[in-house]
Every structure is written in C-alpha cells, then in structure tokens.
C-alpha cells in the first residue's frame, strides 16, 4: 500500500490545506482498450498491487451481504472485486454491470478460470442501469469506479438509478477515492509503488485521483438513495471514502473462513498493506468486522 510515515506527513498537510484540487474528468470515460483492460486486470488479480485493497473491501462489504440474494456490482470492470466477493458469498447470485464489452468478456473468462458459479454480465451505463428491473436486487456494490462519471449531476443520477433497482430493504456498499488538495500528495500516492505498477496503470491511477469527487460531493449525492448510510473516510484526510449500510451483522463462519484463507495466501508485503489500510479506515471509524489473521 503506502509508506505509512510519508503518507502521514502528506495527509497532515492535506488536513490543513484549504481547497481541493480542481476536478479533471477522466480523459476517456469508458476504458475498453484491450491493453488497458488487460493491465487493469493484472493489477487487481492475485499478486497485483490492487489485490490487497480488493480483499479488504470485500471484508467490509460482507457486513451488508445477505446469506442468499441478488447482488449488483456497478462498473465491475474485469471482475477483480466481484469475483473476490463471489468466492466469499457462494449463496448469492451476482450480476456485473459495465459499459465496456472488453471488460465484461475478460470478467467472464476469469470467472470460468476461477471455477465460480455463473454470473450475469450486463453491458449498461451505471447512470441508467437499463435492463435491470426495478426493486430487483438486495445489494448494490461499486468499488473505485464512481470517479469515471462525468460530473456531479451524473453521480446523482447514478444514485437515483441505484435506488430504483434496490428492493425496499436493500443495502449498498460504495467506495471510491476522494479528491485531494495537494498535487504533491497525489504524486506520492501514485509513485509509492511504481516498481510494482505497469506504466499504463500508473497513468490511469493519476487520472483517477484527479477525477475523484470530494467526500462532501459523494455524501451529498448519496442522499438520493434515501437510505440510512454510514459514511467513513480514511483518517486524517480522506483519500478513500466508504458509503455503507444498513449493516446486516457480522459475516458468518464460512465467509470468514474463505476471507482468512485468501488473506493467508497474500504475499507478506500485501498482508501488511491490508493491515495498514485497515488502520487508516479504523482511524476514520470503520472497524474490521473480524480478524483476518487466524
């Protein structure tokens, strides 16, 4: 993840800085170039720089997951987060939505390789969710993707689309980067693991951080959901924000067993990164529902 002491210094300066950087929308709102798609998958697959982040996020997401039910993952990309979640919750039926056909094709290939149960793939704009029936899903998830939306108006439109497809007692787990205030902080976060990152991924990471919404923008848009939500951000200054709720309770023993096995399979460096990011979230009020170390 990130060098803790250096990150602390950057975030301390973030906290006392006045205004966030101006938002720069993604240069391409749809990522469908085959080379980019493949690199994005590699960075989130086992051993990739995003794999510890996705694993940690599935653990948090488990608190809103039913034992059985329908789960809709927005902007699922090549399926890194969604497949990790499906491993832990085999009783649920999953649907992945993405506007990019190459992302969905790769996601299905990886699902088959992983030997997971069938997943429905829907090519659609997440601001519309065309083809997803009203009040048809128990949980909507979206991880590190809302910044691909064009502007705050489209972010609000996406929240209204989520509200439309959720059942009356539905839950959400939405997480994204938050826009920073200092270019030096952004540059540090992008470059901290440069040796492990593909050049295309580093550029995409930079674009993502510049395109991120602020915590206030995310929280204000989430009011469109009409749900009781807990809003958590990483401590000191938000570089990631989680919108979660309502919580169903601690995941059951089988879920925890799978998550712990996946954690144990991580490289020691990535285990430390999971713990470090969990500590940043805990400082912001989001506590791990269970220990990942056996």
């Amino acid at each position: 993840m990130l060098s803790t002491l250096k990150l602390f210094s950057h975030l301390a300066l973030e906290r006392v800085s006045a205004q966030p950087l101006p938002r720069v929308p993604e240069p391409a709102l749809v990522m469908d170039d085959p080379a980019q798609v493949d690199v994005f998958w590699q960075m989130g697959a086992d051993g990739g720089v995003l794999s510890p982040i996705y694993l940690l996020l599935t653990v948090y997401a488990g608190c809103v997951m039913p034992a059985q039910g329908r789960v809709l993952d927005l902007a699922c990309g090549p399926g890194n987060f969604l497949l990790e979640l499906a491993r832990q919750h085999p009783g649920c039926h999953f649907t992945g939505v993405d506007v990019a056909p190459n992302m969905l094709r790769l996601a299905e290939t990886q699902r088959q390789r992983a030997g997971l149960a069938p997943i429905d793939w829907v090519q659609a704009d997440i601001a519309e969710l065309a083809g997803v029936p009203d009040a048809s899903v128990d949980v909507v998830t979206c991880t590190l993707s809302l910044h691909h939306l064009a502007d705050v108006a489209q972010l609000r439109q996406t929240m209204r689309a989520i509200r439309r497809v959720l059942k009356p007692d539905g839950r959400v787990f939405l997480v994204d980067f938050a826009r920073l205030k200092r270019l030096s902080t952004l540059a540090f976060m992008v470059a901290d693991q440069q040796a492990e990152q593909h050049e295309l991924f580093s550029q995409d990471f930079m674009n993502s951080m510049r395109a991120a919404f602020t915590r206030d923008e995310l929280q204000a848009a989430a009011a469109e959901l009409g749900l009781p939500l807990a809003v958590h951000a990483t401590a000191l200054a938000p570089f990631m924000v989680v919108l979660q709720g309502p919580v169903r309770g601690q995941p059951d023993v089988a879920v925890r067993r799978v998550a712990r096995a996946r954690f144990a399979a991580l490289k020691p460096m990535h285990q430390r990164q999971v713990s470090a990011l969990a500590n940043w979230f805990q400082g912001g009020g989001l506590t791990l529902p269970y220990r990942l170390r056996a």
Side-chain angles (χ1 to χ4, degrees):
M1 174 53 58
L2 299 164
S3 304
T4 303
L5 291 178
K6 291 182 179 178
L7 179 60
F8 184 91
S9 299
H10 279 286
L11 294 185
L13 291 172
E14 285 278 327
R15 190 171 182 86
V16 298
S17 298
Q19 298 294 327
L21 293 165
R23 183 172 189 259
V24 180
E26 292 269 8
L29 298 180
V30 179
M31 185 191 296
D32 201 38
D33 176 76
Q36 283 186 303
V37 169
D38 186 62
V39 165
F40 192 69
W41 162 257
Q42 292 177 34
M43 295 297 97
D46 290 351
V49 294
L50 287 175
S51 59
I53 298 177
Y54 285 133
L55 178 58
L56 179 63
L57 294 180
T58 61
V59 173
Y60 291 133
C63 293
V64 303
M65 293 288 290
Q68 296 180 326
R70 303 189 70 87
V71 180
L72 184 70
D73 187 45
L74 306 188
C76 65
N80 299 103
F81 169 83
L82 177 52
L83 299 182
E84 192 67 59
L85 195 64
R87 287 186 184 96
Q88 297 173 34
H89 300 273
C92 292
H93 182 88
F94 291 89
T95 299
V97 176
D98 203 282
V99 74
N102 283 328
M103 287 287 193
L104 297 177
R105 280 193 285 270
L106 181 54
E108 172 59 15
T109 297
Q110 299 305 332
R111 181 203 67 79
Q112 293 178 24
R113 289 178 179 172
L116 295 170
I119 291 174
D120 294 331
W121 307 107
V122 176
Q123 185 182 350
D125 186 332
I126 65 171
E128 300 288 347
L129 295 180
V132 182
D134 294 358
S136 62
V137 298
D138 298 281
V139 176
V140 172
T141 61
C142 185
T143 56
L144 308 181
S145 296
L146 292 173
H147 60 269
H148 282 282
L149 296 167
D151 50 32
V152 169
Q154 196 172 55
L155 177 63
R156 289 181 175 273
Q157 183 181 349
T158 299
M159 297 296 177
R160 291 193 292 272
I162 293 172
R163 182 180 64 189
R164 175 181 67 78
V165 302
L166 272 178
K167 294 179 181 178
D169 62 345
R171 269 71 166 168
V172 299
F173 180 81
L174 313 174
V175 57
D176 206 354
F177 303 116
R179 194 159 76 251
L180 298 167
K181 298 177 181 178
R182 303 170 65 250
L183 279 172
S184 58
T185 309
L186 189 155
F188 164 74
M189 295 183 76
V190 171
D192 189 59
Q193 295 189 83
Q194 198 81 43
E196 289 190 78
Q197 295 172 182
H198 191 284
E199 182 180 352
L200 285 175
F201 178 80
S202 295
Q203 185 58 57
D204 181 62
F205 189 11
M206 174 68 77
N207 293 340
S208 296
M209 297 298 288
R210 294 300 303 269
F213 297 102
T214 65
R215 172 181 174 158
D216 288 346
E217 288 169 339
L218 289 166
Q219 187 167 355
E224 300 280 359
L225 295 170
L227 295 173
L229 287 178
V231 181
H232 299 287
T234 47
L236 200 58
F239 57 88
M240 290 179 71
V241 175
V242 169
L243 308 171
Q244 179 190 52
V247 172
R248 295 182 191 272
Q250 188 179 83
D252 65 25
V253 173
V255 172
R256 285 177 273 165
R257 184 183 301 116
V258 175
R260 284 170 175 156
R262 295 290 291 168
F263 177 79
L266 292 176
K267 295 184 288 189
M269 176 183 67
H270 286 169
Q271 291 182 356
R272 292 192 294 271
Q273 291 169 354
V274 168
S275 298
L277 184 55
N279 286 338
W280 282 107
F281 271 122
Q282 183 167 340
L286 181 60
T287 302
L288 274 175
Y290 53 90
R291 290 171 55 89
L292 281 170
R293 292 188 185 276

